[in-house]
Amino acid sequence: IYAHWGEKPPTYRIYVDNDLLTERTFIYPGNTTFIRENIIVDLEAGEHYIEVTKPDNGTIIEKNILLNGEPLESTVDGSKHHFTISE
C-alpha cells in the first residue's frame, strides 16, 4: 500500500469479498510512505474480490498484490480486484 497525503494521514480499509479484514491509519512521519500488508485468508474455490477503500484526504495505491506468492491475476472494477480460485 502506497500513500501520499497533506496535513492529515489517510485511513484505508481492506475487504475480501464483504469481510473487513483491516483498517489502518498511516501514522508514519512524512507525507509519503509504503507499507506491506500480509493478509491470510482461507477461501473456497470460486469468484472473489479484494477491495481497498480510498480516503478523501490522500492518495492510496495498491500495487504488487500476490495470491499464494504469485502475482494476482484479476480484473479491476473501480476499487475491486476480482479473481478466481480454482479447485
Side-chain angles (χ1 to χ4, degrees):
I1 304 288
Y2 296 84
H4 178 76
W5 64 92
E7 294 179 25
K8 182 180 174 190
T11 298
Y12 66 94
R13 293 179 178 161
I14 298 177
Y15 295 86
V16 173
D17 298 331
N18 290 321
D19 297 321
L20 174 63
L21 298 184
T22 189
E23 178 181 68
R24 301 200 196 285
T25 300
F26 280 87
I27 58 170
Y28 310 100
N31 292 36
T32 302
T33 195
F34 157 82
I35 63 170
R36 177 178 290 179
E37 290 282 358
N38 186 25
I39 298 172
I40 299 172
V41 294
D42 186 16
L43 298 173
E44 296 181 7
E47 299 288 323
H48 300 280
Y49 70 86
I50 296 172
E51 180 177 16
V52 179
T53 62
K54 311 291 195 236
D56 292 337
N57 61 319
T59 301
I60 297 285
I61 301 170
E62 62 275 11
K63 292 184 181 180
N64 304 321
I65 299 174
L66 302 178
L67 177 65
N68 296 329
E70 299 293 327
L72 181 67
E73 293 184 23
S74 65
T75 57
V76 179
D77 175 19
S79 62
K80 294 181 181 179
H81 299 262
H82 297 270
F83 62 97
T84 302
I85 295 192
S86 304
E87 291 186 27

